[in-house]
């Protein structure tokens, strides 16, 4: 039988990193086995579910490139739940009280969850109480609807966080009452913060899309999430294709993983370095637009290779697209406001004269020769002829061109800024 798994979030808020890891593990398991990954929105709690949350969940999965094969919403499947409830009501396994339907839990039995990650976990039915399967407002509850759905959809494996483990004996009782073979179960240990407490916002674990807004790459976040509780030898960096090839439940650990944002940042930086410059340049351009650094019209005026060249020069020092965006503004801005820079710290009379003269020399250089090697040659020749050295003006040039004291190599920076703006900025700095 084909492997069929589902990710079944409740749309009561954003998709957080713990839910994203659950979705990823399900997706990898299905893709490794050539099976199907199903997205099922469990929106039976109408008082808390929102359409905005549903769209946010779908957008988050799409950004992580966790594509689903089938899509369902529980609110469209109520007739299935009612049919199964009526069957159990006729058999006396369910009874009505105060307008709600209750599942009758048998006493004196042991329910064993044969967990594929945690091993066998036993529960006594004497410790369980009868539970509601249909509320008085006629909406069905999680523990009943998910069983009917999983059975009807042919789900072969139910894989989720271990905060659901206590729900599993109830669900197994429903399977038994409906005379349906249950799927395999796997519960993943919860993710903890560095302080050993359950992951929360205070640990930096916010919505998946907030990581997109903060400039993380989907490959970096997916790589990081995969390593939260799963391993393949000592390997740390995995492409999506490698994750699919290597993933198995046998390699999922039985203890909680620790959320370490420093490691996420490191992994993201690794993926920034692995990206093709043209692709990363396109991502930078989109990020600058989406985060309102510039309008699309402003950036469309620039040649495409401006972005690929920018990321090639800047990505070694910057770990996210947000870092790259902040670092790249000197390349895109038409003018720099020197009042907001440390330029005055480097301007001396002799340096001013050398800077102005260098601007004139560079203005005479043909555009096709505005390359680091030629720029260095022209600059050094000019300084030799005028009794100066590169150390006399290098930092002044750097601040004049970028507004900052740190940048790529001086001549690489000149090429990035371009002929016209390089000459204009050196002249303006000399007059500052």
């Amino acid at each position: 039988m084909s492997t069929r798994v589902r990710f079944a979030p409740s749309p009561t808020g954003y998709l957080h990193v713990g839910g994203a890891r659950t979705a990823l593990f399900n997706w990898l398991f299905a893709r490794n086995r050539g099976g199907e990954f199903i997205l099922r929105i469990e929106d039976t709690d109408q008082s808390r579910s929102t359409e905005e949350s549903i769209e946010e969940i779908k957008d988050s999965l799409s950004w992580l490139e966790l594509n689903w094969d089938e899509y369902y919403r529980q609110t469209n499947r109520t007739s299935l739940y009612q049919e199964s409830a009526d069957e159990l009501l006729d058999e006396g396994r369910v009874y009505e009280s105060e307008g709600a339907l209750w599942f009758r839990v048998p006493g004196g039995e042991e329910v064993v969850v044969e967990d594929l990650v945690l091993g066998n976990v036993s529960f006594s039915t004497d410790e369980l109480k009868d539970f509601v399967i249909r509320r008085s407002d006629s909406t069905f509850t999680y523990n009943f609807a998910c069983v009917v759905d999983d059975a009807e959809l042919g789900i072969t494996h139910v894989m989720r966080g271990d905060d659901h483990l206590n729900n599993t004996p109830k669900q197994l009782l429903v399977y038994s009452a409906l005379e349906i073979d249950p799927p395999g179960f796997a519960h993943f240990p919860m993710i903890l913060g560095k302080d050993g407490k359950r992951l929360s916002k205070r640990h930096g674990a916010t919505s998946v899309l907030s990581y997109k807004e903060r400039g993380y790459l989907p490959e970096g976040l997916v790589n990081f999430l995969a390593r939260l509780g799963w391993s393949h030898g000592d390997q740390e960096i995995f492409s999506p294709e490698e994750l699919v090839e290597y993933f198995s439940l046998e390699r999922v650990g039985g203890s909680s993983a620790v959320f370490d944002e420093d490691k996420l940042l490191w992994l993201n930086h690794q993926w920034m370095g692995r990206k093709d410059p043209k692709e990363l340049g396109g991502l930078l351009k989109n990020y600058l637009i989406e985060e309102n650094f510039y309008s699309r019209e402003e950036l469309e005026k620039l040649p495409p290779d401006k972005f690929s060249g920018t990321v090639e020069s800047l990505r070694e020092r910057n770990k996210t697209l947000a870092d790259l965006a902040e670092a790249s503004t000197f390349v895109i801005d038409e003018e720099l406001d020197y009042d907001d820079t440390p330029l005055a710290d480097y301007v001396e009379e002799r340096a001013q004269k050398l800077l102005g003269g260098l601007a004139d020399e560079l203005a005479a250089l043909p555009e096709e020769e505005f390359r680091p090697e030629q720029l260095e040659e022209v600059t050094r020749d000019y300084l030799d002829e005028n009794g100066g050295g590169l150390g006399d003006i290098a930092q002044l040039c750097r601040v004049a061109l970028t507004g900052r004291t740190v940048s790529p190599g001086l001549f690489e920076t000149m090429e990035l800024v371009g002929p016209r703006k390089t000459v204009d900025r050196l002249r303006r700095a000399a007059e500052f």
Side-chain angles (χ1 to χ4, degrees):
M1 183 167 57
S2 174
T3 296
R4 287 174 62 82
V5 300
R6 79 326 190 254
F7 176 56
S10 297
T12 57
Y14 56 72
L15 179 63
H16 55 79
V17 293
R21 185 194 65 167
T22 296
L24 174 62
F25 281 10
N26 274 273
W27 185 85
L28 292 173
F29 187 80
R31 295 294 178 256
N32 174 270
R33 294 175 166 225
E36 288 81 42
F37 172 70
I38 296 164
L39 175 59
R40 186 176 74 222
I41 302 296
E42 299 199 335
D43 57 347
T44 56
D45 186 350
Q46 291 294 285
S47 65
R48 299 176 62 219
S49 299
T50 67
E51 293 299 318
E52 292 79 11
S53 292
I54 293 174
E55 291 307 308
E56 201 271 355
I57 290 167
K58 292 165 71 175
D59 288 346
S60 298
L61 294 176
S62 295
W63 178 63
L64 294 173
E65 299 185 357
L66 304 183
N67 53 308
W68 54 89
D69 302 296
E70 299 171 25
Y71 174 75
Y72 302 95
R73 289 179 60 166
Q74 285 190 326
T75 46
N76 297 331
R77 301 168 64 79
T78 302
S79 60
L80 291 172
Y81 314 143
Q82 188 61 58
E83 182 180 335
S84 294
D86 288 341
E87 177 185 331
L88 296 183
L89 192 62
D90 291 342
E91 295 174 357
R93 301 301 302 269
V94 165
Y95 62 92
E96 185 173 357
S97 176
E98 297 183 358
L101 291 183
W102 294 71
F103 184 88
R104 197 185 307 275
V105 175
E109 295 185 9
E110 183 181 42
V111 180
V112 179
V113 179
E114 298 177 353
D115 197 278
L116 297 170
V117 171
L118 304 178
N120 289 356
V121 185
S122 298
F123 297 84
S124 170
T125 58
D126 292 336
E127 297 175 357
L128 302 176
K129 298 179 180 179
D130 293 356
F131 55 91
V132 173
I133 67 166
R134 193 188 71 187
R135 305 177 186 92
S136 57
D137 64 1
S138 297
T139 60
F140 285 85
T141 61
Y142 164 74
N143 278 319
F144 187 73
C146 76
V147 169
V148 176
D149 274 330
D150 287 342
E152 197 273 337
L153 294 174
I155 300 301
T156 59
H157 299 78
V158 170
M159 301 188 290
R160 54 198 180 187
D162 65 4
D163 53 330
H164 284 285
L165 182 60
N166 288 334
N167 290 319
T168 309
K170 297 177 182 178
Q171 293 167 17
L172 286 171
L173 289 172
V174 174
Y175 277 109
S176 178
L178 291 171
E179 298 183 349
I180 298 171
D181 291 334
F185 285 94
H187 292 89
F188 308 126
M190 299 299 289
I191 304 170
L192 304 179
K194 284 187 175 181
D195 57 4
K197 297 180 180 179
R198 182 171 173 174
L199 197 62
S200 66
K201 289 181 180 179
R202 70 177 181 276
H203 299 108
T206 52
S207 72
V208 166
L209 290 183
S210 75
Y211 286 96
K212 179 184 179 185
E213 293 165 5
R214 289 162 60 188
Y216 285 86
L217 301 178
E219 296 94 336
L221 185 54
V222 164
N223 194 156
F224 175 73
L225 292 174
R227 290 288 289 110
L228 288 176
W230 173 86
S231 63
H232 180 74
D234 296 327
Q235 187 172 342
E236 289 287 355
I237 301 173
F238 296 87
S239 67
E241 294 76 18
E242 287 176 315
L243 290 174
V244 168
E245 179 182 355
Y246 299 144
F247 187 82
S248 70
L249 290 180
E250 288 77 18
R251 294 184 179 273
V252 175
S255 57
S256 295
V258 175
F259 187 93
D260 182 350
E261 187 135 5
D262 290 337
K263 183 173 181 181
L264 168 58
L265 197 59
W266 178 81
L267 281 169
N268 197 73
H269 195 204
Q270 300 304 307
W271 278 103
M272 294 263 287
R274 290 177 172 224
K275 280 281 186 186
D276 174 76
K278 185 175 181 180
E279 182 184 1
L280 187 59
L283 292 173
L284 172 62
K285 179 180 178 181
N286 290 336
Y287 186 85
L288 288 166
I289 295 168
E290 290 170 4
E291 298 302 316
N292 299 311
F293 281 77
Y294 304 95
S295 68
R296 185 173 296 278
E297 291 71 26
E298 287 177 292
L299 298 190
E300 291 296 347
K301 297 175 183 177
L302 300 174
D305 62 358
K306 177 65 72 175
F307 294 98
S308 58
T310 297
V311 298
E312 277 197 281
S313 296
L314 299 178
R315 61 179 165 186
E316 183 179 342
R317 293 181 177 88
N318 297 281
K319 298 179 179 180
T320 66
L321 288 174
D323 294 341
L324 266 182
E326 291 286 353
S328 66
T329 54
F330 77 86
V331 180
I332 301 167
D333 288 344
E334 188 59 35
E335 291 187 355
L336 302 182
D337 183 357
Y338 289 130
D339 289 328
D340 295 331
T341 72
L343 187 66
D345 296 341
Y346 299 97
V347 177
E348 298 173 355
E349 185 176 355
R350 173 172 168 73
Q352 280 183 285
K353 292 179 179 178
L354 288 172
L355 200 63
L358 176 60
D360 294 338
E361 290 291 320
L362 295 179
L365 190 65
E367 184 170 347
E368 64 272 13
E369 294 182 22
F370 213 82
R371 299 291 180 264
E373 297 81 7
Q374 289 91 334
L375 289 166
E376 181 173 5
E377 182 179 348
V378 169
T379 300
R380 290 189 182 278
D381 286 348
Y382 165 76
L383 291 171
D384 287 344
E385 292 170 5
N386 289 272
L390 192 58
D392 295 326
I393 64 167
Q395 196 66 352
L396 175 59
C397 282
R398 190 183 310 279
V399 178
L401 293 172
T402 69
R404 303 160 193 174
T405 58
V406 177
S407 76
L410 177 58
F411 305 109
E412 187 180 356
T413 299
M414 288 180 178
E415 182 185 35
L416 275 178
V417 172
R420 179 180 58 81
K421 288 196 288 190
T422 291
V423 172
D424 287 349
R425 290 179 187 179
L426 294 181
R427 284 175 174 164
R428 282 187 59 231
E431 296 167 1
F432 181 71

